[in-house]
């Protein structure tokens, strides 16, 4: 694809060239331009210039109110993680100035050579259950690397509001669910176990915890794996990142982990369908092997975090179901996500009962 085939409202390559030249990045024509798929909230464009490969990330062509702030935060997190062993895209340069690209903040990152296992599985990975098992363990190891990062030493001491983080979760998301009633036609949530799960979370909330970097949406669809083996090449999509309790990320992984006993693992795609993955207990055990990730954190409460993840994600997905009633989302999408919400609450009750 040639640069002129890309909508200038999406990427103004003339403006991009001037901005890159001002940062002494390799010059020359833009080559091998490709719009990448995979995200729904933001735009990814891969290109080559001056012998170097890049991926540009910016908001959608019609920017949402908070998109630019989210992109600024993403770029800051990636810069902070560069000096760590967390597998994440390398930030090349960021442009927080909205005037350069027609109102859009953007950044350039290195190309991650890998694949998303929720979309496809290369032949080697599909054919070998031991490789898939190690892929699962490496998802927990990559998360443990993130949990081990000292966010203050990384320069993220003012990045979030960790005070009261756990205390405000249930109320925050019940309020979100209540807000959907403002959408025309939405009859209100029909989610068995909703009040039971909310009450259990409030009663069993951990009393002590240690703040750290929280990815906020940690599941298989947000991991890129190496084409050559089971290693995690990069954790991607950092738009939900904040400073909170990193054990919620581990709970999120458990909440979405492929389990043939229910349907809440729909985000797992081909990897979940192929099977051969480690159990939830194995994931927790591998996470616990990294001492600096678990220091000051109580893994005995991991069931609480898994239930909270089911609760929060289920409410988020119910939002699309509510918007579908109001004609703001396709009905089939709303019905699909409502089904996943029901599966998540079913899984939450299973965690509680076990």
């Amino acid at each position: 694809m040639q640069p002129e085939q890309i909508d200038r409202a999406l990427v103004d390559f003339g403006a991009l060239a001037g901005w890159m030249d001002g940062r002494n990045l390799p010059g020359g024509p833009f080559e091998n331009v490709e719009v990448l798929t995979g995200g729904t909230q933001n735009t990814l464009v891969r290109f080559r210039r001056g012998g170097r490969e890049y991926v540009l990330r910016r908001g959608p062509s019609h920017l949402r109110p908070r998109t630019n702030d989210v992109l600024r935060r993403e770029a800051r997190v990636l810069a902070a993680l560069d000096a760590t062993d967390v597998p994440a895209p390398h930030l090349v340069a960021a442009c927080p100035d909205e005037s350069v690209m027609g109102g859009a903040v953007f950044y350039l990152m290195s190309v991650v050579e890998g694949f998303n296992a929720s979309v496809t599985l290369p032949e080697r990975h599909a054919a070998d259950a031991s490789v898939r098992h190690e892929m699962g363990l490496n998802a927990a190891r990559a998360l443990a690397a993130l949990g081990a990062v000292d966010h203050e030493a990384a320069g993220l001491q003012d990045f979030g509001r960790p005070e009261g983080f756990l205390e405000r979760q249930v109320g925050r998301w019940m309020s979100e669910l209540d807000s959907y009633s403002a959408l025309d036609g939405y009859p209100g949530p029909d989610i068995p176990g909703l009040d039971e799960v909310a009450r259990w979370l409030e009663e069993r909330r951990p009393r002590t915890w240690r703040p750290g970097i929280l990815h906020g949406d940690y599941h298989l669809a947000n991991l890129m794996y190496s084409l050559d083996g089971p290693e995690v090449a990069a954790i991607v999509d950092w738009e939900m990142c904040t400073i909170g309790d990193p054990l919620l990320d581990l709970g999120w992984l458990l909440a979405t982990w492929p389990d043939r006993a229910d349907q809440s693992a729909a985000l797992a795609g081909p990897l979940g369908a192929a099977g051969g993955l480690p159990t939830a207990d194995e994931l927790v055990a591998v996470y616990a092997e990294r001492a600096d990730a678990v220091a000051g954190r109580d893994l005995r409460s991991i069931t609480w975090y898994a239930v909270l993840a089911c609760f929060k994600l289920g409410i988020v997905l119910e939002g699309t179901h509510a918007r579908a009633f109001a004609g703001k989302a396709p009905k089939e999408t709303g019905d699909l996500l409502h089904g996943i919400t029901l599966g998540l609450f079913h899984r939450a009750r299973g965690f509680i009962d076990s």
Side-chain angles (χ1 to χ4, degrees):
M1 182 179 293
Q2 298 301 314
E4 56 269 20
Q5 294 176 279
I6 302 289
D7 187 347
R8 282 176 59 89
L10 202 60
V11 180
D12 183 336
F13 282 95
L16 179 60
W19 179 83
M20 292 179 68
D21 293 345
R23 276 140 193 82
N24 296 317
L25 294 170
F30 291 91
E31 303 170 320
N32 303 337
V33 178
E34 177 186 5
V35 178
L36 303 179
T37 60
T40 58
Q41 301 299 318
N42 293 301
T43 298
L44 298 172
V45 179
R46 180 172 178 168
F47 64 88
R48 181 179 181 86
R49 190 180 190 226
R52 185 173 180 180
E53 299 273 355
Y54 303 90
V55 171
L56 180 147
R57 183 168 168 89
R58 57 148 289 166
S61 54
H62 298 289
L63 294 174
R64 296 172 174 84
R66 293 187 60 252
T67 296
N68 283 335
D69 288 339
V70 169
L71 267 291
R72 291 186 184 99
R73 288 172 62 83
E74 282 187 26
R76 184 177 171 190
V77 169
L78 292 180
L81 294 177
D82 239 9
T84 73
D85 63 348
V86 177
H90 166 67
L91 181 74
V92 176
C95 180
D97 183 354
E98 300 176 12
S99 68
V100 174
M101 191 72 71
V105 165
F106 66 93
Y107 62 83
L108 298 180
M109 56 184 168
S110 59
V111 172
V112 176
E113 297 295 352
F115 69 95
N116 186 322
S118 72
V119 176
T120 186
L121 274 182
E123 182 177 348
R124 175 186 176 186
H125 301 71
D128 192 335
S130 67
V131 171
R132 298 194 300 275
H133 189 268
E134 196 66 16
M135 289 171 70
L137 296 179
N138 285 335
R141 292 184 181 115
L143 186 56
L146 179 62
V149 174
D150 182 331
H151 67 282
E152 293 186 348
L156 297 176
Q157 62 274 7
D158 60 343
F159 192 72
R161 293 192 301 122
E163 299 82 6
F165 178 80
L166 294 187
E167 289 79 3
R168 61 178 177 264
Q169 289 301 305
V170 173
R172 158 74 178 84
W173 292 103
M174 287 297 282
S175 294
E176 178 74 7
L177 186 60
D178 288 343
S179 74
Y180 302 158
S181 297
L183 292 163
D184 290 341
Y186 180 57
D190 182 11
I191 304 174
L194 171 65
D195 292 333
E196 170 196 346
V197 171
R199 183 169 55 252
W200 185 91
L201 286 168
E202 291 284 39
E203 292 173 350
R204 303 296 184 93
R205 184 174 60 246
R207 301 305 173 192
T208 60
W209 59 281
R210 178 166 66 92
I213 301 174
L214 180 74
H215 178 273
D217 194 20
Y218 196 87
H219 53 78
L220 286 170
N222 282 336
L223 297 179
M224 297 290 290
Y225 279 95
S226 169
L227 294 167
D228 300 322
E231 295 78 19
V232 173
I235 305 167
V236 297
D237 286 350
W238 291 85
E239 58 197 56
M240 302 294 290
C241 186
T242 190
I243 303 303
D245 188 337
L247 288 186
L248 181 53
D249 275 339
L250 182 56
W252 206 274
L253 184 63
L254 301 182
T256 58
W257 196 245
D259 182 347
R260 295 187 186 278
D262 61 38
Q263 298 300 313
S264 63
L267 294 171
L271 182 58
L277 294 172
T279 65
D281 287 344
E282 288 179 281
L283 296 178
V284 175
V286 166
Y287 187 98
E289 289 175 358
R290 180 144 184 168
D292 50 356
V294 298
R297 299 189 176 118
D298 186 4
L299 279 175
R300 292 173 300 178
S301 298
I302 193 58
T303 296
W304 187 88
Y305 292 95
V307 172
L308 176 60
C310 291
F311 175 82
K312 178 177 175 179
L313 180 55
I315 289 175
V316 169
L317 297 181
E318 182 67 10
T320 301
H321 185 229
R323 286 190 288 275
F325 275 96
K328 298 178 182 296
K331 182 180 184 303
E332 58 272 19
T333 301
D335 290 344
L336 172 65
L337 296 185
H338 179 65
I340 297 175
T341 292
L342 297 182
L344 285 165
F345 274 85
H346 176 75
R347 177 171 281 199
R349 298 196 305 276
F351 284 141
I352 291 171
D353 292 341
S354 64

